[in-house]
Amino acid sequence: MKDIIIAYPSKDTALQLRSLLEGEGFHVSFVCATGSSVLRIAHNLREGVVVCASILSDMGAGTLAENLPVGFDVVALSKNGREKYLGNLISLPLPVHRDEFLQTIAILISTRSAITRRTKDDSEIISDAKLILMNSREITESQAHKYLQKESMRTGKKLVDLAKEIINDFTE
């Protein structure tokens, strides 16, 4: 199983996140406050998930994600952002829905390879599928993404493969 590292400038917030995750059965291996601490820890591990603030005292989540070893994903909680999926970085806007956060962590922990490592083409395919779902079901982008995640977990298919099926069904 992948290690979970929490990096948050506020110790109280970091401990609350650890409590939430451990209360749901996840094992949090490390809690720290800086990106440099995460990098130091990660280089001694095989794979993992980092839950962090979008901006730490020494670096942003994007810089952290770029410098982590292969096999690590970052879930950044952002006060001013919107949901984004870039490389090995998932940015979730605050306030984040508890179930969405936990489901994101569950997916990242349970997959052998980082599901967020996508090519630009794959990201575009997923975006197109979300747009189809949004228009056909009159739902938000976040709801469309949740649907894709749930169906991916239920069927055991990769997100991009499921997205291709949705696009193919729509164009037939």
Side-chain angles (χ1 to χ4, degrees):
M1 177 151 305
K2 293 182 180 181
D3 288 280
I4 296 177
I5 303 169
I6 295 174
Y8 233 84
S10 161
K11 183 178 180 180
D12 289 340
T13 302
L15 295 176
Q16 287 173 348
L17 285 167
R18 180 176 71 183
S19 179
L20 170 65
L21 291 169
E22 289 181 343
E24 292 297 320
F26 297 107
H27 172 69
V28 175
S29 303
F30 301 93
V31 176
C32 54
T34 64
S36 57
S37 295
V38 172
L39 292 173
R40 197 170 40 258
I41 292 165
H43 285 290
N44 294 315
L45 303 172
R46 268 183 0 133
E47 56 187 358
V49 175
V50 177
V51 177
C52 67
S54 60
I55 300 174
L56 299 166
S57 63
D58 57 349
M59 68 183 73
T63 302
L64 176 62
E66 289 173 3
N67 289 291
L68 281 167
V70 172
F72 280 83
D73 290 304
V74 175
V75 177
L77 303 176
S78 171
K79 289 180 184 174
N80 303 336
R82 55 178 226 268
E83 201 167 304
K84 292 181 196 168
Y85 303 86
L86 305 166
N88 63 331
L89 171 65
I90 296 175
S91 181
L92 298 175
L94 291 173
V96 64
H97 190 275
R98 180 182 185 275
D99 292 339
E100 179 182 359
F101 172 69
L102 292 170
Q103 185 177 30
T104 300
I105 299 299
I107 290 169
L108 293 173
I109 289 295
S110 66
T111 55
R112 283 312 272 152
S113 60
I115 65 164
T116 54
R117 298 197 193 289
R118 297 188 185 111
T119 65
K120 186 175 180 180
D121 289 342
D122 287 352
S123 294
E124 288 174 7
I125 290 167
I126 291 168
S127 292
D128 289 347
K130 285 196 287 188
L131 195 59
I132 289 168
L133 290 169
M134 290 164 57
N135 291 330
S136 65
R137 296 175 181 223
E138 297 182 3
I139 59 177
T140 66
E141 181 180 7
S142 177
Q143 291 169 322
H145 189 77
K146 284 180 199 175
Y147 173 82
L148 285 172
Q149 284 180 322
K150 285 179 186 175
E151 282 300 298
S152 173
M153 287 179 64
R154 186 183 67 76
T155 61
K157 295 178 183 174
K158 290 182 178 181
L159 218 59
V160 70
D161 293 336
L162 186 62
K164 287 176 184 176
E165 287 179 14
I166 290 169
I167 293 167
N168 288 338
D169 289 347
F170 181 76
T171 55
E172 288 180 352

